[in-house]
Amino acid sequence: MAYYMRRIILFLVLALFLLAQPMNIIFVFHNHQPWYIDLEKGELLLPWVRIHSVGNYLKVPLLVNQSGVSVAYTLSGSLIEQINWYANRTYVDARYKISQKIAEGKPLTLEEKYSMLLVPGGFFDINWQNIVYKHPRYTVLLGIRNDAFSKCPPGNITCIVSRFSEQDFIDLATLFNLLWIDPYIARQYPDVWAMRNKTSFTRNDLKRVLEVHMDLISKVLPLYRALAQQKRVELVLVPYSHPLMPLLADMGALEDLKVHIRLSQNLFERYLGVSPTGVWPPEQAVNDDVLRLFTESGFLWTITDEDVLKATMPGASHFGLYYVDYGGRRIYVFFRDKTLSDGLGFRYASMKPEEALADFMNYLKRVPRDECSVVVVALDGENPWENYPNFGDDFLIKFFGGLAQLEKNGTIKLWKPTDFVKRCSEKATPLPQREFEYFNLKVDISVYTSIRDLPTRIVQGRIAEGSWSSGGSLAIWIGDVDENVWWMWLKKAREDVGLNLKWDVLFPLLVAEASDWPFWYGGEMGSPQTFDPVAKSALIAFYRRAGLQPPMYLFSLAYPGGTPREIVGRGDGKVALYEGLTVYVNTTHIWIEGAGCGVVYFSNPTLPRSPYFFRGAVYGIHGEKLHIYADMAIDSCNNTVYLSDGGKFYPVGKAARSYFIGAQPGDKLYVEFNGLVYVLTIPESPVQQKLLMEVADPPGDDFGTGKYRYPKNPVFKPGVFDLLGFTLYDLGDRLRFMFRVREFGGNPWSGPAGFSLQFFHVYINRGRGERNDTLGLGVTLCKEAMWDVALLIGPGWSGGNRIVYSDGSFIDDAMAIRPGPNNTIVADVPKKYIGEFEKSWKLTVFLTSWDGYGPDNIRRFGVVEDEWTVGGADAAAVLAGVAPRVFDVLAPTVDAQVRALTSYKVSRLPNGTYVGAPASVCIFYTQEKPAATITATITTTVTQTSRETVTTTQYLTETQKETVREVNWVATAIVSVLAFILGLTPSLLAKRER
């Protein structure tokens, strides 16, 4: 009887799901490139418009279109203009010019040869793991390059260039241009495709590759125009220069934003033959002013991030369609799904297409199946694919082919955004008016060094001010001193020149208003080095074309707030310079010792660099351009001290006192000598430093679960993720958290805090622990260790200096993070943010790998390691989403760490989907006695639960079923019906077994 009852229930469940609505999905691929034009030189400094035109701008729409599914593409005005510049030969980029000179047999200058070898910025700017290391000649050239840079003195370009022959440069130029052509595209040119197997190239080979580049560029815009006219895709407008619209609105530059919108509308009509109904806000950044501008410009819909909805309507579902009404005219708002968008942009690169599709569909099971529910997948359309095997060609074919099959089965429905709005406009939800806090950029923000201190204004609006980044904030584009000063450079330029301008003058201003410059200036997403000249050249041209002399700060080699482009050395109390000089500093004086002599320059980065009262010199005593804003100089040849005023130096005697330039104990100074910059830390004054806790961690346990392996890139030196100890001090008004690692690893990506690789998480239970989840680590904490405040201590980029509270609120840049002596990293946390330490506090400490491009700023952990991915993870745990993303836990023994991190549970459902529960870590430290003698209570209550993966090769039909251990029979029936309805075949559901 029970058997027949189960079959009846199974039949009813099947009938129920057959009547269910298909899941609505919208895909939007965002195509944008920054302006690369140096208006002074009349050339494009960087090649990325060209490079993506010979690959992703053609390949992605061609391959996706083969599947027949509906998607949307954006094109920014800056991208359209630059594609046309190439097609018309108006401008080409510097690397193209160098390549062309080599192809024509013209000699290169020493500087041109050196520029080819830069990383980044040269001809090795291509995926090393997927491309360079797979081509023997490219691998040899990279080895020669790395050997030269390691053995030649810094700045000695003659030494470096001399390691390369003329043939080496021919091969390097050919490989760079050849291998950036997408394989799918290259096959359409048989002679070029055949070159990929060569290990030595001729100048004619290079000439042919460059000819193909120009041919492909001319095909890009016609392809999108044709697909749009055939109704196969929807084209979405992006305002002209990709401006960060909310902050320009906060500055009062609404008229500028109207120009950006109008110019892109003209470009779409002229080159693409469409008048878009949808608009993509650059960086998905919006506020009420931006939505109102879009509405007034006639757009039907726009899109932003789910985190913006959380700040706008807490608790609302981002799977719905929303709208705002301005004066009787609606604009509809989509909120993208971050999980699936980041999956396609990042996670799926290390998965097989079938696994990615199964993961994608598994996520969709939690989405409401309502007629007007919708999942919006919106992501960068050009950059992810080089991280996929074979440039993502195989993935795009199989993944979107699988989606097309699911759409035929009625499981999903893929929409163009405008079609969906027309279908569901009457069921959209209004965004209610409420009070929001927006930034106020009408005042000088140069004096602020943290986003938490910036002035704000209160508005009555319909949407929070935010973007896709950092929990919906704008922190990537504002808050850091270089970002803040940049916005003021822009503000002052608009005030100095005015706005009633002819096109020749206006164009550089529009270039300067692009979001890309503050995006890079803060250092959150990498080095601004290659973009800094473009940004400055735009403002310089703006002044000059208006007949005005540009301000001197625009000619500095430093970034806007005074941050140097590159730092070659650091020291506490002293720093050794090349050529035999050493600079010393104590709490009051600065002096130089050594056999050599020359002029040493000093900059105090705590001094404000407002353009309204600029201080510091950008040229040295002998007229040389400086890499810092020099506040003081010491000529060690005659021991004369100079101070700068109005950009000039004046002698002030023989003694250099730190207070001359406002420096205090504990501050850092930038020191420049012979074009190289160092960081010198002034020793702190003796303070009462009370030891609260000191805990050692076993060496050699930087393998997480016991099997993790470092990524293959050489920056990941052995031991950089091996935590050796943790110390906690009370410094009066702040607590000092100090972490010691086996290998510091240097600062390969110029992290603002002085390091690049490590990312520490500290979870603190102050007596009212409220959360047991962790912030991206993929593990939970036991009940005893539940936290109410967490410290995210990383390299200082966005999200890497954050205090998080259990209610989800957070404070950025409140901690002072820096390298300490003996491979330590120090974080000083003001007590006003976390309270006075009490002996009952419980601390759980993790060390993972920082990755500004990874989910939660944590590196990907996978089964197989590659250049940037951690390897050794349990395949089933990865598929179930419960693989711990942790290298080291502060733990008493290696066994305690391994048992804790492997306490996750994984099961495999009959439809092939893996599910699981994350590991529970119950290792925390607390102080028993509040004296210098520390004892730590170490709780290692780890429940070792069994992990069992059920594997099958049989898939359920209506008459066949298989019960998975720990899943009851009703759940099994439901999952089985889902598998049937989804139409997933065994080949789509097959998973890699443990």
Side-chain angles (χ1 to χ4, degrees):
M1 182 67 181
Y3 170 78
Y4 291 106
M5 183 61 68
R6 291 185 179 185
R7 289 183 59 81
I8 292 171
I9 292 176
L10 180 60
F11 175 80
L12 293 174
V13 171
L14 173 61
L16 175 66
F17 277 93
L18 286 174
L19 296 174
Q21 292 286 337
M23 187 67 251
N24 300 311
I25 305 173
I26 290 173
F27 279 93
V28 184
F29 290 106
H30 177 49
N31 294 324
H32 155 66
Q33 284 296 314
W35 294 107
Y36 296 120
I37 182 70
D38 186 320
L39 293 168
E40 300 301 298
K41 294 181 178 180
E43 70 176 12
L44 303 176
L45 293 185
L46 297 172
W48 304 122
V49 171
R50 172 170 63 95
I51 293 305
H52 287 298
S53 292
V54 302
N56 296 330
Y57 293 145
L58 290 171
K59 160 286 267 318
V60 175
L62 286 171
L63 292 182
V64 173
N65 184 62
Q66 288 181 10
S67 69
V69 300
S70 296
V71 298
Y73 297 95
T74 79
L75 293 96
S76 67
S78 56
L79 173 59
I80 296 173
E81 290 277 39
Q82 290 177 99
I83 289 174
N84 279 314
W85 287 348
Y86 276 106
N88 300 328
R89 301 297 180 100
T90 305
Y91 299 107
V92 292
D93 60 87
R95 278 178 245 190
Y96 183 90
K97 288 184 177 181
I98 290 174
S99 301
Q100 195 171 41
K101 286 180 70 173
I102 294 174
E104 295 173 354
K106 297 178 180 178
L108 299 181
T109 66
L110 184 68
E111 289 73 20
E112 286 173 330
K113 290 180 178 179
Y114 178 71
S115 72
M116 293 179 67
L117 308 176
L118 294 176
V119 176
F123 284 61
F124 292 100
D125 285 355
I126 195 168
N127 189 288
W128 291 5
Q129 188 66 34
N130 291 339
I131 300 170
V132 174
Y133 294 148
K134 292 186 178 180
H135 195 287
R137 180 60 172 148
Y138 222 153
T139 302
V140 169
L141 292 171
L142 178 60
I144 298 172
R145 183 263 173 208
N146 291 342
D147 184 67
F149 274 82
S150 65
K151 292 180 179 177
C152 292
N156 190 331
I157 67 176
T158 302
C159 173
I160 293 171
V161 169
S162 66
R163 304 294 184 96
F164 286 79
S165 68
E166 286 300 311
Q167 185 62 47
D168 290 338
F169 285 110
I170 294 171
D171 292 346
L172 179 58
T174 306
L175 286 166
F176 174 77
N177 290 286
L178 170 66
L179 297 182
W180 263 116
I181 301 176
D182 187 85
Y184 173 77
I185 302 298
R187 285 188 177 91
Q188 300 172 26
Y189 299 85
D191 58 331
V192 171
W193 178 249
M195 288 185 200
R196 295 167 66 95
N197 294 321
K198 296 180 66 173
T199 56
S200 182
F201 300 90
T202 67
R203 298 183 192 274
N204 284 333
D205 289 336
L206 177 56
K207 182 179 179 180
R208 173 57 178 157
V209 171
L210 296 178
E211 289 173 352
V212 169
H213 273 229
M214 302 311 290
D215 180 52
L216 291 172
I217 290 171
S218 68
K219 296 179 178 180
V220 174
L221 295 181
L223 172 64
Y224 286 92
R225 183 185 183 108
L227 291 175
Q229 289 176 343
Q230 296 164 17
K231 307 296 183 184
R232 296 184 181 182
V233 303
E234 178 172 353
L235 299 183
V236 183
L237 182 140
V238 184
Y240 190 62
S241 290
H242 202 268
L244 207 288
M245 300 182 77
L247 295 183
L248 284 170
D250 293 338
M251 190 187 291
L254 293 175
E255 290 303 315
D256 303 45
L257 295 178
K258 292 178 183 178
V259 173
H260 284 283
I261 293 171
R262 186 168 63 251
L263 287 171
S264 276
Q265 288 174 324
N266 294 339
L267 287 173
F268 267 70
E269 291 173 3
R270 180 178 177 183
Y271 293 107
L272 300 170
V274 298
S275 297
T277 56
V279 57
W280 175 284
E283 308 293 0
Q284 296 187 334
V286 294
N287 65 10
D288 207 58
D289 293 321
V290 174
L291 293 190
R292 185 178 287 105
L293 275 177
F294 287 162
T295 307
E296 293 171 353
S297 299
F299 293 106
L300 177 67
W301 63 268
T302 189
I303 181 173
T304 185
D305 190 80
E306 66 174 90
D307 285 340
V308 176
L309 180 62
K310 292 176 183 177
T312 303
M313 293 178 63
S317 170
H318 67 278
F319 300 122
L321 179 65
Y322 295 82
Y323 73 88
V324 179
D325 190 302
Y326 297 107
R329 185 182 181 96
R330 288 185 179 184
I331 185 166
Y332 294 88
V333 185
F334 292 104
F335 294 93
R336 76 155 188 159
D337 183 88
K338 190 181 294 287
T339 300
L340 291 183
S341 301
D342 287 348
L344 203 57
F346 302 104
R347 289 190 300 112
Y348 292 167
S350 59
M351 299 172 67
K352 293 180 179 178
E354 298 84 358
E355 295 171 349
L357 183 59
D359 179 88
F360 189 92
M361 295 305 300
N362 188 55
Y363 178 85
L364 291 181
K365 295 173 186 177
R366 73 188 68 176
V367 179
R369 289 205 170 215
D370 182 79
E371 179 184 5
C372 287
S373 293
V374 62
V375 178
V376 179
V377 182
L379 68 150
D380 189 328
E382 58 224 335
N383 291 310
W385 313 115
E386 66 177 277
N387 298 313
Y388 282 73
N390 199 34
F391 269 104
D393 294 359
D394 303 329
F395 179 89
L396 287 168
I397 293 170
K398 294 178 181 179
F399 183 84
F400 282 94
L403 290 178
Q405 184 61 46
L406 291 169
E407 187 170 33
K408 289 179 182 178
N409 291 347
T411 303
I412 62 174
K413 169 67 176 174
L414 273 70
W415 293 84
K416 301 183 188 76
T418 296
D419 292 342
F420 186 84
V421 169
K422 292 178 179 178
R423 168 72 178 273
C424 291
S425 59
E426 296 306 314
K427 294 188 177 182
T429 303
L431 296 177
Q433 183 168 322
R434 52 173 287 217
E435 192 174 87
F436 294 104
E437 191 173 24
Y438 292 177
F439 289 113
N440 178 12
L441 270 63
K442 294 182 179 179
V443 299
D444 186 4
I445 65 170
S446 302
V447 297
Y448 300 104
T449 59
S450 171
I451 194 171
R452 70 181 186 278
D453 299 324
L454 291 177
T456 58
R457 58 193 176 104
I458 302 299
V459 301
Q460 292 292 325
R462 303 282 182 169
I463 198 163
E465 183 170 78
S467 73
W468 61 265
S469 167
S470 302
S473 81
L474 297 175
I476 281 183
W477 300 271
I478 193 170
D480 177 89
V481 63
D482 289 312
E483 297 164 342
N484 295 344
V485 174
W486 168 257
W487 286 110
M488 293 301 98
W489 281 9
L490 189 59
K491 178 175 180 289
K492 190 171 188 301
R494 293 177 75 253
E495 295 166 351
D496 290 345
V497 178
L499 294 177
N500 295 321
L501 309 169
K502 59 181 181 180
W503 173 251
D504 185 57
V505 181
L506 179 62
F507 176 67
L509 174 64
L510 299 177
V511 172
E513 288 178 339
S515 70
D516 307 280
W517 323 134
F519 177 88
W520 291 102
Y521 273 138
E524 290 97 336
M525 306 306 292
S527 170
Q529 184 170 345
T530 54
F531 291 89
D532 177 62
V534 183
K536 288 173 179 170
S537 78
L539 284 183
I540 290 171
F542 184 48
Y543 278 99
R544 284 180 171 166
R545 293 183 182 187
L548 300 177
Q549 176 62 35
M552 88 173 128
Y553 50 74
L554 294 178
F555 297 95
S556 171
L557 297 176
Y559 301 138
T563 306
R565 293 184 179 181
E566 184 178 7
I567 293 170
V568 299
R570 295 175 179 269
D572 289 314
K574 69 175 182 178
V575 63
L577 312 180
Y578 287 96
E579 301 187 24
L581 293 179
T582 301
V583 179
Y584 294 87
V585 60
N586 59 25
T587 56
T588 58
H589 286 76
I590 304 171
W591 68 97
I592 300 173
E593 296 180 1
C597 80
V599 181
V600 182
Y601 298 94
F602 300 85
S603 173
N604 178 5
T606 66
L607 294 177
R609 303 296 175 179
S610 169
Y612 294 95
F613 48 92
F614 180 73
R615 60 190 300 173
V618 302
Y619 292 97
I621 291 174
H622 303 298
E624 70 275 26
K625 268 192 175 184
L626 298 177
H627 294 81
I628 61 175
Y629 295 144
D631 300 304
M632 183 171 68
I634 301 177
D635 188 338
S636 66
C637 302
N638 55 28
N639 292 322
T640 301
V641 178
Y642 298 83
L643 293 181
S644 67
D645 184 25
K648 298 180 180 180
F649 290 95
Y650 300 90
V652 294
K654 301 294 185 180
R657 300 178 184 273
S658 54
Y659 74 78
F660 284 173
I661 55 176
Q664 303 291 326
D667 287 349
K668 65 181 180 181
L669 299 175
Y670 295 131
V671 180
E672 179 172 349
F673 180 65
N674 284 352
L676 300 177
V677 180
Y678 310 78
V679 172
L680 176 62
T681 301
I682 302 175
E684 294 186 80
S685 301
V687 295
Q688 189 67 30
Q689 183 169 279
K690 181 181 179 181
L691 177 64
L692 299 174
M693 188 179 294
E694 187 171 21
V695 183
D697 185 82
D701 62 342
D702 49 337
F703 45 52
T705 61
K707 297 182 179 180
Y708 287 168
R709 299 181 295 272
Y710 282 21
K712 293 182 178 179
N713 191 281
V715 300
F716 301 103
K717 299 178 181 178
V720 294
F721 303 119
D722 191 4
L723 179 64
L724 298 183
F726 166 74
T727 311
L728 179 64
Y729 296 98
D730 188 328
L731 274 65
D733 63 342
R734 61 196 188 279
L735 295 175
R736 172 165 292 174
F737 293 74
M738 182 178 290
F739 312 87
R740 186 163 64 90
V741 293
R742 178 156 54 97
E743 168 60 47
F744 183 68
N747 193 10
W749 300 307
S750 301
F755 60 99
S756 299
L757 302 171
Q758 296 87 1
F759 193 15
F760 301 92
H761 282 217
V762 181
Y763 296 90
I764 306 174
N765 182 322
R766 299 178 297 181
R768 57 179 188 277
E770 297 172 340
R771 290 175 59 172
N772 74 333
D773 62 320
T774 54
L775 302 173
L777 297 177
V779 302
T780 59
L781 305 181
C782 65
K783 183 177 180 180
E784 293 83 355
M786 291 174 65
W787 61 277
D788 53 88
V789 64
L791 308 179
L792 305 186
I793 300 168
W797 292 304
S798 180
N801 183 339
R802 178 170 291 178
I803 302 172
V804 185
Y805 301 99
S806 56
D807 63 359
S809 63
F810 59 87
I811 299 173
D812 275 333
D813 303 326
M815 297 180 281
I817 304 174
R818 61 179 175 84
N822 303 318
N823 286 342
T824 60
I825 292 171
V826 177
D828 289 343
V829 187
K831 288 182 178 178
K832 64 180 179 179
Y833 297 121
I834 63 172
E836 288 282 350
F837 177 82
E838 296 183 8
K839 63 181 181 180
S840 60
W841 283 19
K842 300 171 183 175
L843 281 68
T844 306
V845 180
F846 299 93
L847 174 55
T848 188
S849 176
W850 173 270
D851 182 355
Y853 294 96
D856 303 298
N857 297 318
I858 298 173
R859 192 162 302 285
R860 294 192 300 271
F861 282 65
V863 178
V864 179
E865 69 273 23
D866 60 24
E867 184 178 8
W868 304 112
T869 302
V870 180
D874 180 348
V878 172
L879 294 171
V882 296
R885 301 164 73 197
V886 175
F887 270 112
D888 205 347
V889 181
L890 187 67
T893 64
V894 174
D895 183 62
Q897 171 183 304
V898 172
R899 285 192 292 117
L901 293 181
T902 55
S903 63
Y904 55 81
K905 293 194 296 184
V906 178
S907 294
R908 186 172 186 264
L909 302 179
N911 72 339
T913 300
Y914 283 85
V915 296
S920 177
V921 176
C922 205
I923 306 174
F924 58 85
Y925 291 80
T926 184
Q927 183 195 46
E928 286 187 337
K929 298 181 180 180
T933 301
I934 303 299
T935 59
T937 298
I938 305 167
T939 303
T940 57
T941 309
V942 179
T943 303
Q944 181 64 39
T945 53
S946 63
R947 293 177 293 129
E948 193 161 358
T949 302
V950 178
T951 61
T952 73
T953 56
Q954 183 179 11
Y955 294 86
L956 290 177
T957 66
E958 292 183 60
T959 58
Q960 296 174 314
K961 59 183 181 290
E962 182 171 332
T963 303
V964 178
R965 196 171 304 169
E966 300 180 271
V967 179
N968 63 38
W969 68 271
V970 175
T972 302
I974 294 173
V975 171
S976 303
V977 174
L978 280 173
F980 176 84
I981 296 171
L982 292 179
L984 294 174
T985 65
S987 63
L988 287 175
L989 287 172
K991 302 284 189 169
R992 187 172 15 227
E993 300 301 328
R994 291 175 58 197

